[in-house]
Amino acid sequence: MTERISILLCTYRRRSVVETLESLAALRAPTGYTIDIIVADNDEALSSEHWVRGATASWPVSYIHAPARNISVARNACLALARNRQSDWVAFVDDDEVVPADWIEQLMRRAVDTGADVISGPAIACYPADAPDWMVDQDWHSNWPELRGPMQTETKQPQTAHSCNALMRFAGQLWEGQVFDLDRGTSGGEDTAYFFALSHMGARFAISAEAPVFEDVAPERLRLGWLAKRRFRMGQSYVSGAPGSLARIRLAGAAMAKVAYCAGAGLIALPSEQRRNFWLLRGLLHLGVLAGCCALPQPKIYGDRADREAASKRVRG
């Protein structure tokens, strides 16, 4: 019996979605599986429709309009269509990434070998020539999945995953009806919270280093300020995995100690831009954890004025 894999792709005014779709068109389906692609346009206007419908397609592509400038709305629209199709698996990829032809094969191979429900792969950043040296050397924009010990046990396993590169069992699973948090749809971290929820439902996680995707770093993201806001938000999102108030209290205590350590290390490293920025960004992550434990609102990092203007320029270009 053939199983269905639906690849979910959300887009907002990015011409790069064409390159993403072209790379998906070259995908090889694992034996016994068929592929379809669902694209949700998060813009109020149908700004991406002509790009999606005009892109090279070897697999069926469905375009849906999910206007809100809220990525969770678009993600939930993709999940709803996959649910209606009774897709056995869903895969997540971003609209500024390209995938190798064996991407799904590698993720599925890892799923079969481990029996895992969610399999993550790395998202490798491709930096422009004018990117700051310290940013490239420390590779702040790549996303490398890692194994972590869950807060409630000592077992070493992933607690979460990211929607930039993941494959997930779907139809008939306990989490089939789980949705992305709308409140996190403009701040980011909605995927972290989503996969944390799956972890608490019993989903098993694995990592496939052999299934990378590749992403060009946009010019507006080459600023220290953008990374600082993102790291702080990542810390806040991490708290969503804490299973109760006691776990949050422990997290807050650990975060305070880590913030203090990073502040001291940063002061010592002041003469070196590379080391100074490293400790600053590391400290902001832990400061974000502390803010999350205190339930402070998350900053908007997607859909703000700078990002909207940059997106508009890419559309016109």
Side-chain angles (χ1 to χ4, degrees):
M1 180 178 176
T2 301
E3 294 191 20
R4 177 192 295 270
I5 304 170
S6 291
I7 300 174
L8 312 184
L9 172 61
C10 301
T11 191
Y12 180 81
R13 298 188 182 182
R14 277 183 175 161
R15 190 188 299 273
S16 57
V17 71
V18 174
E19 190 175 3
T20 302
L21 287 169
E22 288 175 347
S23 70
L24 293 174
L27 279 176
R28 298 192 298 263
T31 302
Y33 296 85
T34 186
I35 291 173
D36 65 66
I37 301 165
I38 300 172
V39 183
D41 188 347
N42 204 210
D43 193 8
E44 289 91 341
L46 302 174
S47 59
S48 299
E49 183 176 19
H50 64 293
W51 292 331
V52 174
R53 298 196 187 282
T56 301
S58 299
W59 304 105
V61 178
S62 299
Y63 172 88
I64 54 178
H65 191 211
R69 294 189 187 182
N70 181 313
I71 190 65
S72 291
V73 171
R75 295 200 193 286
N76 290 338
C78 288
L79 286 176
L81 184 51
R83 196 177 301 118
N84 289 340
R85 291 178 176 174
Q86 299 183 317
S87 301
D88 301 281
W89 297 79
V90 295
F92 298 89
V93 69
D94 287 346
D95 65 346
D96 55 353
E97 296 174 339
V98 295
V99 306
D102 66 344
W103 174 57
I104 288 292
E105 287 180 319
Q106 293 291 352
L107 289 172
M108 188 60 70
R109 183 174 293 119
R110 184 66 171 155
V112 171
D113 289 345
T114 63
D117 304 299
V118 180
I119 303 88
S120 302
I124 301 175
C126 303
Y127 295 90
D130 60 346
D133 290 340
W134 63 268
M135 190 179 293
V136 177
D137 292 343
Q138 296 172 18
D139 196 15
W140 283 105
H141 285 281
S142 290
N143 188 321
W144 299 92
E146 58 183 330
L147 299 174
R148 299 189 180 102
M151 300 167 192
Q152 64 269 43
T153 75
E154 295 301 320
T155 305
K156 193 119 174 140
Q157 64 177 16
Q159 295 172 301
T160 189
H162 297 282
S163 56
C164 57
N165 184 357
L167 175 70
M168 179 181 81
R169 294 183 197 270
F170 192 59
Q173 304 302 316
L174 288 175
W175 48 85
E176 183 180 356
Q178 182 68 26
V179 296
F180 287 85
D181 184 355
L182 297 181
D183 290 338
R184 298 179 186 270
T186 56
S187 62
E190 78 293 337
D191 53 346
T192 301
Y194 176 84
F195 287 110
F196 265 134
L198 268 59
S199 180
H200 293 315
M201 292 179 188
R204 297 160 295 173
F205 290 73
I207 290 169
S208 175
E210 294 75 30
V213 299
F214 300 90
E215 173 185 347
D216 288 335
V217 180
E220 64 271 16
R221 299 188 179 188
L222 295 175
R223 298 178 288 108
L224 176 61
W226 192 92
L227 277 175
K229 188 184 283 189
R230 181 171 185 256
R231 294 292 289 181
F232 183 80
R233 188 271 300 160
M234 287 172 64
Q236 288 181 288
S237 298
Y238 183 76
V239 178
S240 64
S245 56
L246 182 59
R248 289 188 177 228
I249 291 171
R250 290 173 177 168
L251 265 181
M256 288 179 66
K258 291 176 181 178
V259 167
Y261 181 87
C262 291
L267 286 173
I268 295 173
L270 276 177
S272 167
E273 180 185 36
Q274 186 171 40
R275 293 176 59 208
R276 180 178 70 239
N277 289 344
F278 173 83
W279 288 112
L280 171 64
L281 293 172
R282 191 181 180 97
L284 283 169
L285 176 71
H286 299 305
L287 190 62
V289 171
L290 188 57
C293 291
C294 298
L296 296 181
Q298 292 193 186
K300 285 189 177 183
I301 117 171
Y302 302 114
D304 62 14
R305 181 177 178 182
D307 266 3
R308 287 197 299 270
E309 288 177 352
S312 295
K313 288 178 182 178
R314 288 196 293 273
V315 170
R316 292 194 298 268

